[in-house]
Amino acid sequence: MSSSQPIEPEFQQAYDEIVSSLTDSTLFEKQPKYKKVLPVVSVPERVIQFRVTWENDKGEQEVAPGFRVQYNSAKGPYKGGLRFHPSVNLSILKFLGFEQIFKNALTGLDMGGAKGGLAVDLKGRSDNEIRRICNSFMRELSRHIGQDTDVPAGDIGVGGREIGYLFGAYRSYRNSWEGVLTGKGLNWGGSLIRPEATGYGLVYYTQAMIDYATKGKESFAGKRVAISGSGNVAQYAALKVIELGGIVVSLSDSKGAIFSETGITADQVTAIAEAKINFKSLQQIVAEYSVFTEDKIKYIDGARPWVHAGKVDIALPCATQNEISGDEAKALVAAGVKFVAEGSNMGSTPEAIRVFETARSTASSVPSAVWYVGGKASNLGGVLVSGLEMAQNSQRVSWTRETVDKELKKRMINCFNDCIEAAETYSKESNTSTLPSLVKGANLASFIKVADAMFDQGDVF
Ligand code: NDP
């Protein structure tokens, strides 16, 4: 693959990250057969592109391209979210689908990788129009998915409301009630903890990093945590951080960022969650909701949190891809960041990853190191609980909140341990006074799991 002028820049970036982790390890020297997997796994098994057209509230026809990239089913039925956002295109969905293959392998459950979506802006549209859009999208998608074939979930722009409309449309088109989507409502097949899962899981993974690096001496308590985004992932990450005694110093949206020296409160996060369903901006929410009036919340228009948050111990990007640039990564390191864990997919640019990885690999001691992990490992809590939702649907049972949360936590820690083990087994690094690379660990551990399944089934020979 040429990387000089990529036709699909986001996909190329995701592909290059995996390749660089694999080639900068001893994997291909120790087991050369794995080299054969790369060209095969990088091509999706199937790409479906279709026309979605609906009548808007003004009585006009609108049209947008819909997609489903069914990337790899060696490890189980295709599984991955649907993104409804104006930026959706094939490069973005291929990057997300490619990442999803490896993320799903790290959950320890049997799921293949996929991603899909629609290039549409839902902001400002009525519930009725959103229902018509979901109906039209599912009219075509319903031909290609099923509980044993492909089980989509939400992503940016697709939350509980949209999953409901999509599920209702599937049921109607196929005359079949099945666990074909995850993130469903609690009284119609959904799992407890699914809405919370990505944010909570991110915090559990980060807690495992803190435990390992400080030998159990430190936790989130008292730490200053910069979070970006204010959607599903950011909201529940913030609530879990606050529950564990951390200070959430920032949140953001596509228009700007808010900052609090004393820490954004759980009530404020709840108010944001309510208002975001109605597409309000953070600027509007801070101005309109009474929970914000007494607190010293600073709003900066057009800003991302990283250079404005003051001293930062932990950074959790939770908005979108490439949301930390190289310069912002440098600013975070200068602000004292020690742990960076992505809630978003590919939250850091390659330049930012280089800054974080250099601040780790060249550290003279563990306390002076910066430890970074990509979303593939740290944000897999969502798809993990989606996998548990599928298991509950198959058995027609509902597990308790405690059971699901315990399983989520256990599996996030298992994933962390798998990343450490793979990084240590295949490391080429000579500096032993620092921490292992979690980027490489996540890429190596997941690649080997997927590759082995592909060899066994004759996908690669
Ligand atoms: P939401 O739609 O609930 O929230 C997205 C948030 O990011 C909003 O605050 C939105 O701002 C902001 N945002 C979106 N696009 C941009 C942009 N281009 N620039 C700046 N801010 C932006 O999505 P989720 O919380 O579900 O997803 C967030 C990230 O987490 C994504 O990268 C997603 O792929 C990833 N993820 C999500 C999972 C899930 O279970 N939901 C699972 C694993 C990963 P605004 O409110 O103004 O639109």
Side-chain angles (χ1 to χ4, degrees):
M1 276 199 195
S2 152
S3 56
S4 52
Q5 272 196 323
I7 301 169
E8 297 174 323
E10 293 86 2
F11 168 67
Q12 187 74 46
Q13 186 182 333
Y15 176 82
D16 288 348
E17 186 202 295
I18 293 239
V19 173
S20 97
S21 284
L22 300 179
T23 50
D24 196 14
S25 78
T26 58
L27 178 70
F28 291 156
E29 286 154 39
K30 287 183 175 165
Q31 309 208 46
K33 69 169 188 174
Y34 283 120
K35 264 194 195 170
K36 295 201 280 188
V37 177
L38 267 174
V40 182
V41 77
S42 65
V43 180
E45 288 172 12
R46 190 174 303 104
V47 176
I48 302 151
Q49 182 166 358
F50 49 98
R51 182 175 68 204
V52 178
T53 165
W54 68 96
E55 186 177 332
N56 68 20
D57 281 347
K58 291 181 226 145
E60 300 155 346
Q61 183 178 14
E62 287 197 49
V63 62
F67 305 86
R68 186 71 177 164
V69 179
Q70 296 181 330
Y71 226 117
N72 194 303
S73 57
K75 295 261 314 143
Y78 302 110
K79 180 89 197 95
L82 296 172
R83 179 174 288 194
F84 285 4
H85 194 268
S87 64
V88 159
N89 59 38
L90 205 47
S91 170
I92 288 181
L93 295 180
K94 276 185 69 184
F95 120 63
L96 289 163
F98 189 64
E99 289 272 301
Q100 197 79 43
I101 307 169
F102 301 103
K103 179 189 310 204
N104 292 3
L106 285 173
T107 63
L109 300 172
D110 298 327
M111 294 181 285
K115 202 82 189 188
L118 181 67
V120 68
D121 191 355
L122 295 186
K123 284 193 182 124
R125 298 185 193 262
S126 68
D127 275 14
N128 267 333
E129 191 173 333
I130 292 172
R131 181 174 45 75
R132 290 196 293 276
I133 294 170
C134 291
N135 250 299
S136 177
F137 182 79
M138 191 50 91
R139 187 162 56 222
E140 177 60 31
L141 189 71
S142 61
R143 300 162 191 256
H144 309 284
I145 61 175
Q147 62 182 345
D148 298 318
T149 313
D150 183 354
V151 183
D155 189 73
I156 292 178
V158 178
R161 168 181 49 200
E162 291 75 20
I163 290 289
Y165 293 148
L166 290 164
F167 188 78
Y170 181 89
R171 225 183 66 237
S172 157
Y173 290 128
R174 296 286 292 262
N175 190 23
S176 175
W177 198 112
E178 47 181 289
V180 70
L181 291 164
T182 55
K184 298 188 288 297
L186 283 179
N187 66 345
W188 45 278
S191 175
L192 285 159
I193 305 284
R194 176 58 188 92
E196 296 89 335
T198 309
Y200 280 17
L202 170 68
V203 174
Y204 294 152
Y205 193 101
T206 312
Q207 181 64 62
M209 293 165 75
I210 302 171
D211 274 348
Y212 186 98
T214 67
K215 298 197 165 54
K217 290 192 192 114
E218 292 180 27
S219 69
F220 267 95
K223 294 223 166 16
R224 289 172 59 88
V225 186
I227 300 180
S228 65
S230 50
N232 171 266
V233 180
Q235 290 161 18
Y236 286 108
L239 289 172
K240 187 52 89 175
V241 168
I242 295 166
E243 184 189 319
L244 297 178
I247 303 158
V248 175
V249 295
S250 69
L251 288 170
S252 67
D253 66 10
S254 54
K255 307 268 173 7
I258 57 169
F259 301 89
S260 167
E261 267 309 297
T262 48
I264 293 165
T265 65
D267 284 349
Q268 291 169 339
V269 177
T270 307
I272 291 170
E274 268 173 43
K276 278 289 170 191
I277 296 173
N278 298 318
F279 305 117
K280 299 232 173 201
S281 68
L282 280 177
Q283 187 174 24
Q284 289 171 317
I285 299 166
V286 168
E288 288 172 21
Y289 279 68
S290 58
V291 275
F292 288 98
T293 49
E294 286 167 25
D295 290 277
K296 292 194 182 85
I297 291 272
K298 184 168 78 173
Y299 173 79
I300 306 184
D301 202 38
R304 295 196 287 216
W306 320 122
V307 297
H308 305 282
K311 180 182 176 300
V312 173
D313 301 306
I314 300 170
L316 305 177
C318 296
T320 191
Q321 64 271 7
N322 290 327
E323 52 166 327
I324 306 185
S325 67
D327 285 344
E328 286 168 319
K330 285 182 195 153
L332 277 170
V333 173
V337 79
K338 287 286 170 280
F339 302 96
V340 182
E342 289 176 356
S344 47
N345 285 308
M346 211 162 75
S348 305
T349 59
E351 296 75 30
I353 297 175
R354 267 196 291 282
V355 171
F356 296 138
E357 279 289 88
T358 304
R360 175 193 61 78
S361 62
T362 59
S364 55
S365 65
V366 170
S368 61
V370 174
W371 215 10
Y372 161 81
V373 63
K376 199 178 279 125
S378 51
N379 74 24
L380 63 74
V383 72
L384 171 54
V385 175
S386 278
L388 302 181
E389 184 173 328
M390 289 163 75
Q392 293 169 77
N393 290 164
S394 303
Q395 298 168 43
R396 297 279 192 265
V397 294
S398 299
W399 298 347
T400 63
R401 202 179 159 81
E402 290 69 33
T403 304
V404 180
D405 196 34
K406 204 167 139 198
E407 194 68 16
L408 168 64
K409 195 177 222 170
K410 183 184 86 187
R411 287 180 180 271
M412 291 309 300
I413 293 170
N414 287 349
C415 167
F416 171 78
N417 291 332
D418 284 353
C419 296
I420 294 279
E421 193 189 322
E424 287 177 344
T425 307
Y426 297 107
S427 174
K428 267 185 175 170
E429 293 179 5
S430 52
N431 179 1
T432 50
S433 36
T434 188
L435 296 155
S437 168
L438 288 173
V439 198
K440 287 184 197 157
N443 284 328
L444 283 157
S446 57
F447 179 80
I448 292 167
K449 284 178 207 269
V450 174
D452 286 346
M454 292 178 76
F455 276 120
D456 288 350
Q457 294 172 47
D459 290 359
V460 187
F461 42 87

